[in-house]
Amino acid sequence: KAGGFPIGINEIALRTEENRVGIFADITVNLVGADDSGFGAGAGVTIWAKQIRTDNKVRYEYDKLELSKIMVDVTRSGFSFYGELTFYEGDNTYGDGFKGYVDASFADIGVEATGLFGNVDGYRYWYVDAMMSFPAGIPVIAPFAVNGIGGGAFYHMRQQGLNESIGSEIGRSASEIIYIPDDNYHLGIKASVQYSLQDAESAANGEAEFSIAFNSSGGVNQIAFNGSLNMMTEGFSTDLGQISKLASKVSNQEEILSVPGSSIRGNVNLLFDNQNKTFHGVVEVYVNAAGGIVKGINAGDLAGRAAIHFEESYWYIHIGRPDHPIGLKFLGLAQTESYFMIGHDIPGIPPPPQ
């Protein structure tokens, strides 16, 4: 126990790091008993000892106590709250700092927020990102409703390029955008909205986000737009009637009277980098409709991907590629394939189909 509160140990592990060793413990403190809708707090703690060599002898001395995370998880009648604070240090991209995450719901209102604060290469950076959602929706222009509004700000950070990968998830925000420290950027702001069809969220819903980042002189460094659209999502069903019966006979499957979770979804990502004078955009469409009767021909039901890129002396428009064409397949018996490419970075003409 600690201060009279029961402690549970979830994990104990030995850690080594160059000339020091540590004992890690993942613990949970039960703050309220189970008979009173109990909840607790957790933490990841490492006790480090450094190695010291003297006169051909090795001994260990206490180095420091390191907190890797702090967590609170509360579920009570009418509300729930989950919060986590994670610490990091010595990261090649993000240096030292901490990241906080909150996911809370009060009655029919949900709040999800992320914050990141750190320093690297002698400068500090941060971002905060929050989204408030209301599943019932607020009617706006018919037939659409707003299901959530959000916003954020970031300092000495930029959005990761669409063709860029740093191999770290530390900078991922609540809206799934990854932000990277960059001293050439000053302050940035963003706004986002979640939308759906009125009283028919499972039929169509999506999210749109706009952000702009400035340099220290007030000029624009980066402008980004990210959007998504989901149609016929989980909970949506339709009676396919004779079409399902015919499809079942052709594909030797059981008869399908109702198809839940049929899905058509798309993503749009546009990024203008004013520093490097480049514009890059990606559009992706995924199809798995009518219980799998119609699907995208690529991995993960991807029906097609289009990319557009413009910079000085280099540009292209690629709608599909020979190795990843755009197209649909029907019952696995027939499919369409096509692609259109113009500009730079065009591969050789593939051999004709056999």
Side-chain angles (χ1 to χ4, degrees):
K1 292 186 176 183
F5 296 100
I7 292 180
I9 299 177
N10 305 313
E11 178 187 1
I12 294 180
L14 181 66
R15 294 184 171 178
T16 60
E17 192 175 275
E18 295 183 356
N19 63 338
R20 63 176 187 168
V21 296
I23 298 177
F24 168 80
D26 183 359
I27 63 175
T28 300
V29 180
N30 296 315
L31 301 177
V32 177
D35 56 350
D36 189 24
S37 300
F39 64 86
V45 182
T46 303
I47 302 175
W48 289 102
K50 59 184 177 181
Q51 184 186 89
I52 298 177
R53 292 179 177 270
T54 55
D55 299 329
N56 295 323
K57 294 182 180 180
V58 177
R59 61 187 178 89
Y60 290 89
E61 288 186 356
Y62 170 78
D63 184 22
K64 69 175 183 177
L65 179 69
E66 179 182 279
L67 278 173
S68 57
K69 70 174 181 178
I70 299 175
M71 179 271 292
V72 176
D73 192 359
V74 182
T75 302
R76 304 295 294 271
S77 177
F79 77 93
S80 64
F81 177 90
Y82 176 86
E84 185 174 294
L85 191 63
T86 304
F87 301 86
Y88 58 89
E89 63 178 33
D91 186 87
N92 292 334
T93 301
Y94 293 91
D96 304 331
F98 63 90
K99 181 178 183 179
Y101 172 76
V102 172
D103 187 359
S105 63
F106 306 90
D108 292 329
I109 298 178
V111 177
E112 186 177 10
T114 306
L116 181 73
F117 300 84
N119 64 86
V120 66
D121 297 333
Y123 68 91
R124 297 180 181 181
Y125 62 88
W126 56 263
Y127 81 69
V128 289
D129 184 25
M131 172 67 73
M132 178 181 293
S133 59
F134 10 89
I138 300 176
V140 284
I141 302 174
F144 296 100
V146 172
N147 298 80
I149 54 175
F154 44 98
Y155 176 74
H156 280 169
M157 302 193 82
R158 63 175 173 84
Q159 180 176 319
Q160 176 178 272
L162 300 182
N163 280 335
E164 183 180 12
S165 177
I166 60 172
S168 175
E169 295 290 304
I170 291 177
R172 185 177 295 276
S173 68
S175 53
E176 298 299 314
I177 301 299
I178 294 178
Y179 290 92
I180 301 173
D182 194 322
D183 196 23
N184 294 315
Y185 287 68
H186 192 59
L187 183 66
I189 55 176
K190 58 178 289 189
S192 54
V193 60
Q194 294 176 340
Y195 61 90
S196 71
L197 292 180
Q198 293 181 17
D199 302 319
E201 184 177 0
S202 62
N205 63 80
E207 183 172 342
E209 175 185 295
F210 175 82
S211 68
I212 183 169
F214 303 92
N215 56 40
S216 58
S217 300
V220 174
N221 268 7
Q222 191 180 73
I223 298 175
F225 174 81
N226 302 287
S228 65
L229 174 64
N230 307 293
M231 301 178 64
M232 299 183 293
T233 59
E234 185 176 355
F236 179 89
S237 62
T238 181
D239 189 349
L240 298 175
Q242 295 300 319
I243 295 178
S244 290
K245 295 179 181 180
L246 178 60
S248 302
K249 293 179 180 178
V250 174
S251 60
N252 295 321
Q253 296 177 355
E254 295 181 1
E255 183 176 347
I256 305 172
L257 297 179
S258 180
V259 183
S262 301
S263 178
I264 300 174
R265 64 188 192 277
N267 303 310
V268 178
N269 302 101
L270 307 175
L271 181 65
F272 171 64
D273 185 343
N274 192 36
Q275 277 196 313
N276 298 305
K277 305 300 181 185
T278 63
F279 174 80
H280 191 83
V282 175
V283 178
E284 295 178 329
V285 177
Y286 297 81
V287 177
N288 186 340
I293 294 177
V294 182
K295 301 175 68 174
I297 62 174
N298 298 289
D301 301 327
L302 176 66
R305 182 179 191 269
I308 180 172
H309 184 95
F310 290 98
E311 63 179 279
E312 187 177 357
S313 303
Y314 181 76
W315 67 276
Y316 60 79
I317 299 175
H318 295 169
I319 304 175
R321 296 179 62 89
D323 53 344
H324 290 92
I326 61 174
L328 297 171
K329 55 185 176 183
F330 306 88
L331 291 172
L333 301 176
Q335 69 180 42
T336 64
E337 293 185 13
S338 63
Y339 64 90
F340 173 82
M341 306 179 74
I342 186 173
H344 294 85
D345 194 23
I346 297 180
I349 299 176
Q354 300 296 322

